[in-house]
Amino acid sequence: MLMEKTFSPAHLHGTAAAPASKSEAHRRMICAGLTAGETTLTGFMDSADMAATRRCLRALGASIEREGERLTIRGHARKPARLPVLDCGESGSTLRFFVPIALAMAGGGVFRMHGRLGQRPMDVYRDLFVPRGVRWRMGVGCDGAAELTVQGRLESGNYVLPGNVSSQFVSGLMFALPLLKEDSTLTVEPPVESAGYINMTVEAITSSGVVMDPIGPFRWRIPGGQAYHAADGRLSGDYSQAAVLLCAAALGHDVEVTNLSADTTQGDRAVLAHLAALGAKVEETEERIAVKASGLHGAVLDMSDCPDIAPILALTCQLAEGESRLTGCGRLRIKECDRLAATVESLNLLGGNARAEGNDIVITGVKQLRGGVRLPDYNDHRMVMLAAIAAADAEQPVTVAGTNALNKSWPEFLNVYEQLGGKAE
């Protein structure tokens, strides 16, 4: 059931804590699920994507207990079923991380996919694994959900991946290869996009006691026969979600964001550099980040390493003077919706001036958005958040067809938005 919301113009003000990094949580949870010990993660925020990763870990034999913001995970609590069923929901990270893990641990699995997840490209794995003897079948379950069945054993060896595909394929192999008996090598060929996400996976794995020997730029020797070890910790704040509030601040709202670390591998920290390039003033301390509006002007921003923050940056560019170009947006087309087309459509419906040119979004700034429209929700959390921030700056209210998509990544967004003075009815 869609939960239609109307967002009205309002001045946002106050301080908000960034929620836990979804990208880091995926990785730390998986490492915990691959160890025989018990791991405690604090600062956890639940969401639909987090639930998908928990389901898949349980399907592979982990036990998981949640108490508020505390998550306790014990891997190898039981033996996984033969050809376990792994329900990935709509989480692309979960699907791509777990395919090689399931091959290594259980000889494969049945991966259930909902929404547009079944349309997300998986040929990188198919082309790697089928020549190595893995059976690969894409089908449809009895309820109409897409299902991918993979059967076989992941083999050690030399793996080469192109760097211009999703880093999730790289991360999935990184998790699985240390579990094999023999040594392997993993090479990511340049140009490497989303390098920050790859580095985040390396950080999580090595923090769990697994050795990855660098033997060149984005090339590793990964010894076999390794074991993951428990590594308790607190999850970092998420720059991809914080970007929504930081961009609001750049548009003139008095918002500061806490729970963000400067020492991070999160690629979406690039939002600070991008806002500075647009003319905003960024003030950062150990406690908080504040962004001040200061005559925003157009700029060329490269989104290839941080595609998730492209929609909210596009909104910021729409209210900057002159022309802006967001490059490297091609992967936006294969998100929860065609996020490149949705961003352009939403900005134009709001009264902006945006167009797609290949994999770029070109925006001519306007002084103010009209609003007064009903936007689709696109079943996409990023698009709902764009609409909410846009409405706060528009002349007239903006209605969004539904807000359920927020459950995918930030279920508390509406509460935070209203606590900051946002109006949503």
Side-chain angles (χ1 to χ4, degrees), residues 319-342:
L319 291 166
E321 184 178 354
E323 184 176 280
S324 296
R325 181 180 291 266
L326 275 60
T327 65
C329 296
R331 272 184 288 152
L332 294 179
R333 298 188 186 279
I334 52 172
K335 296 291 186 175
E336 286 78 358
C337 67
D338 181 342
R339 200 175 280 168
L340 191 158

Side-chain angles (χ1 to χ4, degrees), residues 99-163:
V99 167
I101 293 171
L103 288 170
M105 293 185 65
V110 179
F111 292 85
R112 291 180 52 76
M113 298 165 281
H114 304 273
R116 278 171 47 99
L117 184 55
Q119 302 172 35
R120 304 275 283 269
M122 291 293 288
D123 53 335
V124 172
Y125 277 159
R126 183 195 62 204
D127 295 346
L128 277 180
F129 298 149
V130 170
R132 290 173 164 88
V134 171
R135 284 175 284 178
W136 183 283
R137 182 175 66 84
M138 186 69 79
V140 179
C142 60
D143 61 353
E147 288 187 349
L148 169 65
T149 302
V150 294
Q151 289 179 276
R153 287 287 175 181
L154 185 66
E155 295 181 351
S156 56
N158 300 317
Y159 288 88
V160 179
L161 291 172

Side-chain angles (χ1 to χ4, degrees), residues 8 13-14 22 36 41 55 63 67 79 97 102 116 119 150 155 177 207 224 294 301 346 371 377 382 384 387 401:
S8 298
H13 58 91
K22 186 164 66 85
L41 300 175
R55 286 194 300 269
S63 71
E67 184 177 348
K79 187 176 180 180
F97 289 165
R116 278 171 47 99
Q119 302 172 35
V150 294
E155 295 181 351
L177 292 177
S207 294
S294 180
L301 308 178
S346 291
D377 71 329
R382 308 286 180 195
V384 175

Side-chain angles (χ1 to χ4, degrees), residues 20-247:
S21 167
K22 186 164 66 85
S23 298
E24 181 183 342
H26 278 304
R27 290 159 172 80
R28 297 289 297 275
M29 289 165 65
I30 289 171
C31 290
L34 296 177
T35 175
E38 184 175 285
T39 302
T40 299
L41 300 175
T42 57
F44 177 76
M45 180 193 70
D46 205 6
S47 65
D49 281 5
M50 295 294 94
T53 289
R54 292 205 306 279
R55 286 194 300 269
C56 292
L57 286 172
R58 289 191 177 108
L60 292 175
S63 71
I64 304 174
E65 296 180 4
R66 180 188 167 214
E67 184 177 348
E69 293 187 350
R70 179 183 296 269
L71 205 63
T72 303
I73 303 173
R74 179 182 288 276
H76 307 289
R78 57 178 175 79
K79 187 176 180 180
R82 184 175 179 273
L83 209 64
V85 176
L86 296 92
D87 187 343
C88 300
E90 297 185 43
S91 174
S93 296
T94 303
L95 172 64
R96 289 165 172 169
F97 289 165
F98 275 93
V99 167
I101 293 171
L103 288 170
M105 293 185 65
V110 179
F111 292 85
R112 291 180 52 76
M113 298 165 281
H114 304 273
R116 278 171 47 99
L117 184 55
Q119 302 172 35
R120 304 275 283 269
M122 291 293 288
D123 53 335
V124 172
Y125 277 159
R126 183 195 62 204
D127 295 346
L128 277 180
F129 298 149
V130 170
R132 290 173 164 88
V134 171
R135 284 175 284 178
W136 183 283
R137 182 175 66 84
M138 186 69 79
V140 179
C142 60
D143 61 353
E147 288 187 349
L148 169 65
T149 302
V150 294
Q151 289 179 276
R153 287 287 175 181
L154 185 66
E155 295 181 351
S156 56
N158 300 317
Y159 288 88
V160 179
L161 291 172
N164 60 352
V165 299
S166 172
S167 63
Q168 294 162 356
F169 296 110
V170 179
S171 294
L173 281 168
M174 285 180 167
F175 288 125
L177 292 177
L179 303 174
L180 307 181
K181 291 183 179 180
E182 305 296 330
D183 297 353
S184 299
T185 63
L186 177 59
T187 301
V188 186
E189 295 182 322
V192 179
E193 297 183 3
S194 297
Y197 288 107
I198 295 174
N199 293 332
M200 187 185 296
T201 303
V202 172
E203 181 180 69
I205 290 173
T206 56
S207 294
S208 298
V210 170
V211 174
M212 294 183 59
D213 293 327
I215 53 177
F218 291 98
R219 188 165 187 256
W220 301 266
R221 185 183 72 86
I222 303 176
Q226 297 193 68
Y228 283 78
H229 299 281
D232 297 343
R234 181 171 182 83
L235 297 169
S236 304
D238 193 335
Y239 274 92
S240 65
Q241 313 293 16
V244 177
L245 303 181
L246 295 171
C247 286

Side-chain angles (χ1 to χ4, degrees), residues 7-10 319 350-351 367-372 390-398:
F7 298 93
S8 298
L319 291 166
L350 287 162
K367 290 187 177 181
Q368 189 171 19
L369 297 172
R370 291 192 308 269
D393 273 298
E395 294 177 351
Q396 302 175 55
V398 175

Side-chain angles (χ1 to χ4, degrees), residues 250-279:
L251 293 173
H253 299 275
D254 296 314
V255 177
E256 296 185 352
V257 185
T258 61
N259 195 37
L260 292 172
S261 173
D263 182 17
T264 181
T265 52
Q266 293 183 51
D268 291 328
R269 179 174 160 81
V271 66
L272 302 182
H274 289 327
L275 289 176
L278 290 169

